[in-house]
Amino acid sequence: MYSSMAHQYRPPPWLRSGHLQSVWPSLFRKVSVQEPVSEVLPTADDDELHLDWHRQGSHRLAIISHGLEGHSRRPYVLGLTRALLAKGWDVLAWNFRSCGGVMNRQPRFYHSGATEDLRQVVRHGLAQGYDTAFLSGFSMGGNLTLLYLGEQGERVDSRICGAVAYSVPCDLAGSADMLARPSRKIYMQRFLKDLRVKMDEKSQTFPDLIDVEDFGSIQSFHQFDDRYTAPLHGFRDAADYWAQCSALGRLNDIRVPALMINAADDPFLSRKCFPESPSVLGAHVRLEAPRWGGHVGFVEHGHDGYYWSERRALAFLRGVV
């Protein structure tokens, strides 16, 4: 359901643009936190996940998942990390396979439904002795977080108190359509530029599996996911991947309080990413759709440096912890 909290976000008039909100933080936001302690977590398939620990001796742990082609030290991750640290939480920010500046060892990399990796990170984090855990994710990481909780359903660890997910492309097919529009070309080109670097590197290691010839002809996620994501991760094609890995159909299986915040002016999200029906959201998921915010924006110029998204997360936690 929608919440009145969304109406409390009112950015300066010059920031009331979804496109400007989407690029502003990456260009201009700087967030300072103490250098984290890094850890390499081995996986069962002879790969590894790279983790950033921000510890201060708390009994409560927040686990943060970044977005597509992001990493654990992006400003949006560090902004939420700083806010949570100030409220007494330890924070574990993790990197998807191939992200964070280290290429993973397997042909596969990451995708929107790689819940087995998030599941391992959650288990590893809770094994350190925490009695409370909170999950948060941005964009792809938001979809991953909600999909994970939906898959867990009634089996969810009782120590997980809730989750907040921002700018969630919970309808992956619709979001791919949105990013294929000519008006979104600048975003698509940026993603493909970063992905090409990774696929070039992987093709050198696995030349029989990964072919980057004519990569320049790829103009959309329809083409990229058909050619790379789907076959490398066991899906029939892009449509099968999107159908299986969209969190939208699993929201009503979530059994902990979960807040999904999608700005109405987000240039990445389709209409289906704003579900209103209780039968879709279920009893535990709340949707908030601020009028402004763009994609992982929610910029605010407060004296403490917090963005509205971080204040909203802290307010949500006050209600569930």
Side-chain angles (χ1 to χ4, degrees):
M1 61 181 176
Y2 288 94
S3 166
S4 61
M5 289 292 292
H7 300 300
Q8 296 180 10
Y9 177 52
R10 299 186 65 81
W14 61 274
L15 270 174
R16 295 179 184 181
S17 158
H19 295 293
L20 185 57
Q21 284 261 3
S22 300
V23 301
W24 180 271
S26 295
L27 295 175
F28 300 111
R29 192 180 195 194
K30 306 295 181 186
V31 180
S32 296
V33 297
Q34 188 172 352
E35 185 73 12
V37 175
S38 298
E39 179 185 8
V40 178
L41 180 64
T43 65
D45 61 344
D46 190 33
D47 214 335
E48 57 189 32
L49 302 172
H50 290 255
L51 319 180
D52 276 354
W53 283 95
H54 302 263
R55 290 189 177 100
Q56 54 184 359
S58 177
H59 62 90
R60 301 181 300 181
L61 176 67
I63 298 174
I64 302 178
S65 302
H66 62 75
L68 179 75
E69 282 305 285
H71 52 76
S72 60
R73 303 189 186 188
R74 279 283 174 89
Y76 57 83
V77 174
L78 294 179
L80 182 57
T81 295
R82 180 178 61 184
L84 290 164
L85 289 170
K87 293 299 181 182
W89 291 75
D90 281 6
V91 176
L92 169 55
W94 69 291
N95 292 285
F96 304 162
R97 301 191 195 206
S98 81
C99 298
V102 181
M103 181 55 70
N104 67 308
R105 294 197 291 264
Q106 294 297 324
R108 62 159 295 177
F109 49 111
Y110 65 87
H111 64 86
S112 295
T115 52
E116 68 278 7
D117 286 348
L118 177 54
R119 181 168 61 248
Q120 181 172 355
V121 170
V122 171
R123 287 176 176 172
H124 179 67
L126 287 172
Q128 311 308 307
Y130 295 97
D131 59 34
T132 304
F134 161 69
L135 307 184
S136 188
F138 295 85
S139 191
M140 175 185 274
N143 182 83
L144 188 67
T145 297
L146 296 178
L147 182 63
Y148 162 77
L149 290 172
E151 291 176 350
Q152 292 296 298
E154 300 285 356
R155 305 188 316 273
V156 66
D157 194 296
S158 61
R159 290 169 289 182
I160 297 177
C161 69
V164 174
Y166 303 95
S167 306
V168 184
C170 56
D171 166 35
L172 292 173
S175 291
D177 288 344
M178 291 291 290
L179 283 164
R181 293 182 176 184
S183 60
R184 274 64 167 173
K185 187 175 182 179
I186 186 173
Y187 304 115
M188 199 66 242
Q189 288 181 329
R190 174 64 184 272
F191 285 136
L192 289 173
K193 179 182 177 181
D194 292 345
L195 288 166
R196 176 162 194 167
V197 173
K198 290 185 176 180
M199 301 319 295
D200 282 344
E201 184 173 344
K202 281 193 172 293
S203 71
Q204 295 174 23
T205 308
F206 306 101
D208 295 334
L209 290 176
I210 299 171
D211 179 12
V212 293
E213 185 178 354
D214 197 30
F215 188 100
S217 66
I218 296 176
Q219 300 295 318
S220 68
F221 279 125
H222 300 77
Q223 296 167 316
F224 181 86
D225 289 341
D226 258 337
R227 184 168 174 179
Y228 297 114
T229 311
L232 287 172
H233 300 96
F235 301 103
R236 184 179 64 251
D237 52 24
D240 181 48
Y241 159 51
W242 297 334
Q244 291 197 46
C245 297
S246 293
L248 185 64
R250 301 303 301 265
L251 297 178
N252 61 6
D253 295 322
I254 294 175
R255 293 296 181 267
V256 298
L259 177 63
M260 180 166 64
I261 301 175
N262 285 350
D265 65 354
D266 190 322
F268 291 25
L269 303 185
S270 69
R271 182 65 192 87
K272 287 185 178 179
C273 294
F274 299 86
E276 300 180 56
S277 170
S279 64
V280 176
L281 291 171
H284 298 277
V285 179
R286 170 179 294 174
L287 170 69
E288 291 185 359
R291 181 177 177 182
W292 302 286
H295 192 74
V296 193
F298 308 105
V299 181
E300 193 169 72
H301 294 305
H303 62 86
D304 55 7
Y306 287 9
Y307 277 13
W308 177 83
S309 49
E310 293 142 20
R311 298 187 201 284
R312 186 66 191 94
L314 297 181
F316 173 81
L317 281 171
R318 286 196 296 270
V320 299
V321 176

